[in-house]
Amino acid sequence: MERFRVAGVASVTRMVSHVSTSEISGALGDLGTFLPLVVGLTQEVGLDLGTTLLFSGIYNVLTGFLFDIPMPVQPMKTIAAVALSGNGLTIPQIMAAGIFVSACVLVLGGTGLMGLATRMTPLPVIRGMQLGVGLALSQKGFQYIWYQGGSSQDGMNGVWGLSGIFVGMFFIVFILLSVYNEVDAQGSVESTRDDQKIGQRSDDGKPSTSVMTGDEDDCTEESPPVVIVPIPEEHRMHWSARCMESLEKKILKPLYFCGDKASEACGEHGNTAQLLPQNNSCGCSPLPAGSKRNIPAAFIIVLIGIILSIAFNPSIVSGLSLGPSKPSVIIPQGDDWRSGILKAGLPQLPLTLLNSVISVTQLANEWFPDRYSRPGSIATSVGLMNLVGCWFGAMPSCHGAGGLAAQVRFGARWGTAPVLLGCFKVFLALMFGSSLLVLLQDFPLAMLGAMLVFSGIELASVAKGQKGPRGLAIMFLVASIGLATKNIAIGVVTGLCCAYILAIWDACLDGVIYLKKKYLVT
């Protein structure tokens, strides 16, 4: 117990030491996705806003401490979209869909199959998915600005007004000037290294105060000598170990080989690095370039939005009531399970596996290699949190690459950001409960749209690291198909098929060359 107490105190101390305006701003960077979905579900299908805020806040706090990166917590978008599309989903059916998806993801994470899926997915396919999702987020953000209610079916938005086009465009310019307010004459190398100073931890657990210059001779540290203790032959191989060894030799190694060959066919190395902890002592993490003029854009926008909402509609204050909501236990029945799984659970499952686990794993380890995240751990996190909250009516939640990019873009670098956001959600849930809807539903949608535009741009910009004609072709193919069909899973499946077809083609060419050398060359 003493060990856990010391570890807990150290974690809290580390979180407190990282509190800054950048972390506060980054914590609010993902509200452009969270608020419209939660408010819409509360209005349309009767979602309990207080319960959702309470449990999503707890999720934020736990993921912040567990991963120590700006790991977001977002509503499951496909389930939310189906519920808002008029398909008649009830609250028990929404919860049934969330429980089904979470149970599947938890099984995949607990058995290690998520690591296998990550290994077999070439990097251009993952970057194509990130590019497609990022552009879709930016498109949706601008729709919030240009159209009433964020939908072209409702007609064009007015120029003036609290949620008018002028307000949205004004805050787009504001974010542009506050987040991208400096030009690095030497490219992004120096600013990236400055972010590396913020984003890495020294050996004592404190933020690093030195910046890597790239030419140090002592990048690698000497490892202590490894002492090998002989194991008696009779204890060397337990039956379970022999089973795992047989499984690895007969099934996993051939699958790993296929995945590595597909990656090589796309012009990339195998994805082995995604499954192993990264040593970043000799390089710089490609974090988004920061700015020395630290302006907490997201915090300022949210604060102005609340002030304007109350100024234009003072009755909001009288509509708020003190006290938390009373959560109720929701037990889906047979029809709820069937309808929820078929209508929303099955469509949500591939998006959760691809965007909430595989894509988040790749992006998190690319930006924060010193705080390595395993795909199995992220999958387990998604599974466990919904298997608790959904029984009490909390909206099914997951992680997301777009939310991670949003929080990083607006300044977050540590788990402090989600912890702060989680504490704020819990405070609001306990203080106002579901009555907070009167404020959130009047929040200017154009301001959230401006934030969502740049969140999508940040996620899409990770595609700039893709090189090689084959890799670029597959990346753009995945993104374009995902945008055209509005289903990124179709684009990913197409990209995987193309990558493995290229691998088979290369293997055939290698075989032909080998036969020519062996039998035709005299």
Side-chain angles (χ1 to χ4, degrees):
M1 291 297 296
E2 181 65 20
R3 182 178 62 180
F4 290 109
R5 188 189 67 81
V6 172
V9 171
S11 298
V12 173
T13 304
R14 185 173 67 250
M15 290 294 172
V16 173
S17 67
H18 293 152
V19 174
S20 64
T21 55
S22 295
E23 294 295 318
I24 296 174
S25 178
L28 303 175
D30 191 31
L31 293 184
T33 301
F34 181 82
L35 288 184
L37 290 178
V38 171
V39 171
L41 289 168
T42 303
Q43 293 175 324
E44 297 295 330
V45 298
L47 181 73
D48 192 325
L49 176 61
T51 302
T52 297
L53 284 176
L54 177 63
F55 277 94
S56 64
I58 295 173
Y59 302 157
N60 279 122
V61 173
L62 293 178
T63 54
F65 276 104
L66 288 174
F67 297 103
D68 201 15
I69 63 174
M71 184 68 73
V73 174
Q74 304 172 317
M76 290 188 175
K77 298 180 182 63
T78 302
I79 295 178
V82 173
L84 294 173
S85 63
N87 284 337
L89 279 183
T90 63
I91 292 296
Q93 291 171 355
I94 292 174
M95 300 306 141
I99 293 171
F100 166 76
V101 173
S102 299
C104 294
V105 174
L106 181 62
V107 170
L108 293 174
T111 57
L113 293 178
M114 282 309 310
L116 174 63
T118 304
R119 179 75 172 266
M120 297 189 68
T121 306
L123 195 56
V125 176
I126 299 176
R127 283 179 171 154
M129 175 173 54
Q130 294 167 342
L131 175 61
V133 173
L135 293 177
L137 287 176
S138 293
Q139 182 184 35
K140 187 63 179 177
F142 198 77
Q143 287 175 349
Y144 284 152
I145 298 173
W146 200 256
Y147 298 110
Q148 297 180 12
S151 174
S152 59
Q153 298 177 353
D154 297 332
M156 184 176 172
N157 207 353
V159 177
W160 309 105
L162 190 57
S163 292
I165 296 176
F166 175 80
V167 172
M169 298 304 297
F170 173 83
F171 281 99
I172 281 183
V173 175
F174 171 75
I175 295 174
L176 188 68
L177 296 179
S178 59
V179 177
Y180 303 90
N181 56 20
E182 287 185 343
V183 176
D184 190 353
Q186 298 179 356
S188 61
V189 176
E190 293 301 325
S191 56
T192 300
R193 286 173 179 169
D194 288 341
D195 277 329
Q196 182 67 18
K197 176 178 64 175
I198 301 174
Q200 279 196 337
R201 185 188 302 140
S202 59
D203 293 338
D204 58 357
K206 298 180 180 179
S208 174
T209 56
S210 61
V211 181
M212 298 292 294
T213 60
D215 57 357
E216 285 88 341
D217 294 329
D218 55 348
C219 283
T220 58
E221 299 178 358
E222 292 187 5
S223 301
V226 178
V227 179
I228 301 177
V229 180
I231 301 177
E233 186 67 29
E234 61 270 17
H235 300 298
R236 186 163 295 175
M237 289 291 288
H238 189 264
W239 66 270
S240 59
R242 290 197 298 269
C243 290
M244 290 302 300
E245 184 183 44
S246 177
L247 175 66
E248 183 176 2
K249 287 182 178 179
K250 295 180 179 179
I251 299 178
L252 296 183
K253 282 190 175 180
L255 293 177
Y256 290 161
F257 176 79
C258 293
D260 291 344
K261 288 300 179 182
S263 296
E264 292 174 6
C266 299
E268 298 283 344
H269 296 293
N271 281 349
T272 310
Q274 297 183 15
L275 300 178
L276 299 174
Q278 301 294 304
N279 181 4
N280 196 48
S281 59
C282 296
C284 292
S285 174
L287 277 168
S291 170
K292 296 178 181 178
R293 302 169 187 168
N294 188 12
I295 301 176
F299 175 74
I300 294 174
I301 291 175
V302 172
L303 183 61
I304 292 176
I306 293 175
I307 295 174
L308 290 178
S309 299
I310 297 176
F312 276 75
N313 187 7
S315 62
I316 290 176
V317 178
S318 61
L320 296 174
S321 61
L322 296 178
S325 303
K326 294 182 179 179
S328 57
V329 178
I330 296 178
I331 302 178
Q333 304 302 316
D335 291 339
D336 298 327
W337 288 107
R338 182 174 62 255
S339 298
I341 291 173
L342 293 178
K343 291 182 180 180
L346 290 176
Q348 175 67 48
L349 183 58
L351 180 63
T352 299
L353 296 176
L354 295 171
N355 188 53
S356 299
V357 181
I358 295 178
S359 182
V360 169
T361 302
Q362 187 273 332
L363 193 61
N365 292 334
E366 184 176 344
W367 282 346
F368 307 102
D370 61 320
R371 286 162 274 167
Y372 180 73
S373 301
R374 293 186 178 275
S377 301
I378 295 177
T380 303
S381 170
V382 173
L384 288 178
M385 62 186 184
N386 290 303
L387 290 180
V388 175
C390 285
W391 297 104
F392 296 94
M395 178 63 195
S397 302
C398 60
H399 306 305
L404 176 59
Q407 295 191 76
V408 169
R409 178 68 275 168
F410 284 98
R413 293 295 185 271
W414 297 93
T416 305
V419 169
L420 291 174
L421 179 61
C423 293
F424 185 59
K425 287 181 180 178
V426 172
F427 170 78
L428 292 178
L430 296 178
M431 181 63 68
F432 300 108
S434 296
S435 68
L436 198 64
L437 177 64
V438 297
L439 173 61
L440 297 183
Q441 67 185 0
D442 280 351
F443 194 92
L445 204 57
M447 294 186 184
L448 297 178
M451 295 170 60
L452 195 56
V453 166
F454 286 95
S455 301
I457 290 174
E458 190 58 49
L459 178 59
S461 67
V462 301
K464 65 186 178 183
Q466 186 59 50
K467 302 184 183 299
R470 281 185 172 183
L472 288 170
I474 290 179
M475 181 186 71
F476 286 119
L477 180 67
V478 172
S480 59
I481 292 177
L483 289 173
T485 61
K486 296 183 179 180
N487 189 340
I488 197 63
I490 298 176
V492 171
V493 171
T494 305
L496 287 173
C497 291
C498 292
Y500 281 93
I501 288 173
L502 287 174
I504 295 173
W505 174 259
D506 290 345
C508 292
L509 290 181
D510 291 341
V512 170
I513 294 174
Y514 173 78
L515 293 176
K516 282 183 178 181
K517 289 182 178 180
K518 185 172 183 179
Y519 296 106
L520 299 182
V521 178
T522 57

